[in-house]
Every structure is written in C-alpha cells, then in structure tokens.
Amino acid sequence: MAKKRKVGNLLALAVLALLVERPMHRYEIAAVLKERGKDRDMDIKWGSLYTVVQNLEKHGFLAVVGSERDGARPERVIFRITDAGRAEAVDWTRELISTPEPEHHRFVAGLSIVGLIPPDELIALLGVRLDKLAAQLEVARQEIAEYTAVLPRLFLIEAEFGVAMLEAEADWVRGFRDELTSGTFPGVDFWRQLHASGVLANGDHPAERGQPDPPADN
C-alpha cells in the first residue's frame, strides 16, 4: 500500500525532482515543467502549484535561498531542495516503481457499463477508438525517434512505457471487437436481444419479462 505523504500531490514530486537540478522560483518551475511536458506524465493541476510549493517548504522539503525582481513585477522567491526533500523524492520514486496501485481509467469506467450500448454500435465505437489509438501511437513513436538523437534513453523510458501501454490497449480493443464482430463473444446474441426488445431502454429487469438473467460478469 502507498505511504501517506506529508505532501501527497504528484506535482510535489515533479517539483522536488526539478529542484534537484538547481534553485528556482515558482514561475520558472511552472515554465520548465510545462516545457518538458510533465503534465503528460502526471495528473498536474497547475493552479495548485503555489500551495504545493508552500506545503513543501512548510514540511522542510524546500528552503528559501533568496529572491529576485524583474522590473515592476512582484518579487519572486527562490527555493532550493533540502536534504529531507531529496530523501522524500527518492523514497517516493522507489515506491512508484515498486508498488502497483489501482488507478482510475476512463475506458475501464466505460467498459464496466458497456452493456448499455448495443453490440453493433459498440463495434463501431471500438473502431473509432482504434483509429485514435493508432494516431496517438504514430505521434508518440515519432517523438521518441526524434528525441533519441539528442537525449539518452534514460530520459525517454516513460515515453517508451506510454507506447507499450497504447500498443497493449490497441491489441486488446482489436481482439474484443473481433469477438463481437464474429459472434464468438459469449452472450452477444442475448445482448442484442435485450436491446432489440427495448428491455434496457425501458429499464425493465429481464426476469420481469419472463426472460432469463444475462450471464454474470466474471
């Protein structure tokens, strides 16, 4: 089970990892994180950056080392990572790599109630998803190919993992669609009957119409 962190927002980890490089003020932190596309790797809510940095300082993970002023703009406080902050970043990274945790996925949420959609419509929707996955894969592979020429593989492994996950999802979606198309998916005929008879549209339970219950989910 994941450890309860003093500052549990993943944006905090991104900030700590960035400040390992050098001290920065909040505006620079946000700019560099955006430039490096960290919002693609983590669920980052940019509006919470001020609070995250404040809490990291409160718990001793960051320390103020000075400030600077650019013209008429407000003074910008510069933060550095502390020894405690480095230890927190390393421990947190170890946990993320070693400990699987349930993660909510929009696609899984849709699959959990997919019976609301007729099988033939679902076949078409899965085809649309496959097309979009193919487009995402093309972009992701192209980006990796471009960055491979200028960056060590160490800095591309999260992108490689992203490609692997997209490929795995596309393979599964393709197999599921093929089962529906060929009629080999268990219970697909009964599924079609439920929609053809209007049972799902009317909200009636099959037993109330003298029909057998649909097969239980495994």
Side-chain angles (χ1 to χ4, degrees):
M1 173 180 278
K3 180 188 300 186
K4 184 172 178 58
R5 302 277 168 186
K6 292 179 180 177
V7 187
N9 189 327
L10 275 175
L11 177 56
L13 179 58
V15 170
L16 290 173
L18 184 61
L19 292 184
V20 166
E21 300 178 17
R22 66 180 188 277
M24 300 183 191
H25 53 68
R26 279 186 292 261
Y27 299 98
E28 186 178 8
I29 290 171
V32 175
L33 288 177
K34 289 178 181 178
E35 178 185 335
R36 296 182 181 178
K38 278 300 172 186
D39 49 349
R40 291 182 296 180
D41 304 331
M42 305 177 182
D43 182 17
I44 289 180
K45 296 178 175 60
W46 297 109
S48 64
L49 178 61
Y50 181 91
T51 302
V52 165
V53 171
Q54 187 178 44
N55 286 336
L56 287 171
E57 182 194 6
K58 173 184 174 182
H59 291 288
F61 298 137
L62 298 182
V64 175
V65 292
S67 62
E68 65 179 36
R69 185 183 297 276
D70 184 9
R73 292 181 177 180
E75 189 175 48
R76 296 177 174 180
V77 178
I78 300 172
F79 297 88
R80 68 167 177 84
I81 191 169
T82 63
D83 290 342
R86 288 175 182 271
E88 176 72 0
V90 171
D91 183 64
W92 201 344
T93 303
R94 285 173 176 152
E95 178 189 280
L96 290 174
I97 296 299
S98 66
T99 308
E101 283 285 316
E103 298 183 43
H104 297 295
H105 195 298
R106 287 166 49 87
F107 186 42
V108 173
L111 289 174
S112 71
I113 53 173
V114 77
L116 294 174
I117 299 173
D120 295 323
E121 180 184 353
L122 178 58
I123 290 170
L125 292 173
L126 292 173
V128 171
R129 187 177 191 90
L130 280 171
D131 289 341
K132 292 180 178 179
L133 287 171
Q136 290 176 18
L137 274 166
E138 183 178 356
V139 171
R141 288 171 178 150
Q142 184 176 350
E143 287 181 349
I144 290 177
E146 291 174 355
Y147 284 120
T148 297
V150 295
L151 290 175
R153 188 180 175 196
L154 172 62
F155 300 111
L156 297 173
I157 50 177
E158 74 275 16
E160 288 184 10
F161 179 77
V163 167
M165 292 300 98
L166 286 172
E167 289 174 341
E169 181 180 334
D171 287 343
W172 187 89
V173 170
R174 192 175 296 107
F176 181 33
R177 185 188 62 169
D178 289 347
E179 283 189 80
L180 293 172
T181 302
S182 65
T184 58
F185 184 84
V188 68
D189 291 335
F190 179 72
W191 184 357
R192 284 193 173 94
Q193 290 170 15
L194 288 177
H195 282 276
S197 63
V199 170
L200 292 179
N202 295 328
D204 296 336
H205 191 277
E208 296 174 359
R209 294 182 170 230
Q211 302 176 31
D213 288 338
D217 293 334
N218 293 328

